[in-house]
Amino acid sequence: MKIPCLDVHPDTKLKLYLISHVCCTIVQQTAGHDMSDSKPKFRRESPEHRREQLIEATLRVIARKGVSAATVREISAEAGVAFSLIRHHFRTKEDLMYAAYSYHMRKMAHLSLSSATDVSRPIADRVRQCVRDTLSAPVASGEGLQIWAGFIQMVPHDARMKQIHIDTYLGFRDALEPLITEALRAQGAPADPKTVEEKAIACNAVLDGLWLEGSMLPEMLPAHRLTDVAETTLFAILGLSPTD
């Protein structure tokens, strides 16, 4: 930038030139910085991660509005993506529903039983922790119940949905059985496959029933009350002492 010729002292002209030069430099640097910051940061996500995002968006829609309202339009709006992306990852809407049900049930089972394999803790502590995790949030919640209820009505009429239900039910029981086997052997009680399976069925039924009632009636049946009932019942099934 050229400074207009002024009738001023030479030192003053030099100062004005330097000030002008510095100001121009700052403006240019600031503009460049703003332009670089405004560029979208592209991040390529894996297909598995994108599928999981679409499944979680589906579950949020179902939790708020029910299965019948979980249209491709609603799900794409919830996920903030175009219809075509859903079609890219799931051939049909039914495939998305199947994936969402399986994902939801496996996630709930993991949250319920994640402490079962922590062999550094006494067996009684692990049983108590599994009970607490199953009968308190986020596993026991109105949102989780709404999702489960939306899907469970489809099980009797849809062979694939029924198979997912069977698989996740057996998966939960399979995760319980090592805990039950350890509890029985610790007392010198029989731990043959038939006995272990029967006790797993009984423990699962207790937890399922209390989870259902607690999720529907949290004010009448708060988590701490259901936890006490479940602990007493499971300890009796497994032959554990309440003082363990």
Side-chain angles (χ1 to χ4, degrees):
M1 176 182 290
K2 294 183 177 180
I3 304 297
C5 186
L6 301 173
D7 188 16
V8 294
H9 193 277
D11 288 345
T12 303
K13 287 185 178 181
L14 177 61
K15 290 178 182 179
L16 290 171
Y17 173 79
L18 291 175
I19 291 171
S20 175
H21 179 72
V22 169
C23 289
C24 288
T25 301
I26 291 173
V27 169
Q28 290 170 358
Q29 289 178 344
T30 303
H33 179 71
D34 288 343
M35 288 175 65
S36 64
D37 280 357
S38 64
K39 292 179 181 177
K41 295 179 175 59
F42 178 76
R43 183 179 66 182
R44 184 180 296 279
E45 295 178 331
S46 69
E48 293 77 15
H49 182 63
R50 178 59 78 183
R51 281 173 60 90
E52 185 174 312
Q53 288 180 322
L54 294 174
I55 287 170
E56 289 179 344
T58 301
L59 295 175
R60 290 195 298 271
V61 172
I62 293 172
R64 289 199 311 270
K65 300 183 178 182
V67 168
S68 61
T71 62
V72 173
R73 182 181 298 277
E74 281 283 348
I75 294 166
S76 62
E78 178 70 26
V81 301
F83 294 177
S84 58
L85 187 64
I86 295 179
R87 299 299 186 192
H88 175 74
H89 289 283
F90 299 95
R91 188 172 57 87
T92 65
K93 178 192 167 184
E94 287 71 25
D95 287 340
L96 175 55
M97 290 294 124
Y98 297 141
Y101 182 44
S102 178
Y103 175 89
H104 176 69
M105 295 303 291
R106 294 180 192 282
K107 181 179 180 180
M108 294 300 101
H110 173 72
L111 292 173
S112 295
L113 301 177
S114 59
S115 62
T117 57
D118 184 2
V119 295
S120 66
R121 300 174 63 180
I123 184 68
D125 284 355
R126 279 182 277 156
V127 172
R128 290 189 182 98
Q129 188 65 55
C130 288
V131 167
R132 286 194 293 270
D133 290 343
T134 302
L135 300 178
S136 58
V139 178
S141 66
E143 179 179 306
L145 176 66
Q146 174 79 353
I147 294 170
W148 174 84
F151 285 126
I152 203 68
Q153 63 183 312
M154 302 166 65
V155 169
H157 313 292
D158 187 312
R160 191 169 168 190
M161 194 67 79
K162 184 175 183 179
Q163 189 58 54
I164 292 170
H165 183 74
I166 291 171
D167 292 342
T168 54
Y169 167 74
L170 291 176
F172 191 88
R173 268 181 35 193
D174 288 346
L176 273 177
E177 287 187 2
L179 192 68
I180 293 170
T181 300
E182 185 180 344
L184 295 176
R185 287 178 177 168
Q187 306 161 74
D192 58 277
K194 183 175 183 294
T195 299
V196 171
E197 181 184 46
E198 289 174 350
K199 290 185 179 295
I201 292 170
C203 290
N204 182 76
V206 170
L207 292 174
D208 267 4
L210 293 176
W211 169 85
L212 180 60
E213 296 300 336
S215 296
M216 285 195 296
L217 303 169
E219 295 81 13
M220 181 184 297
L221 300 170
H224 67 86
R225 184 178 180 189
L226 295 184
T227 296
D228 290 343
V229 173
E231 285 183 9
T232 300
T233 307
L234 263 62
F235 272 52
I237 293 170
L238 302 178
L240 293 172
S241 170
T243 59
D244 287 347

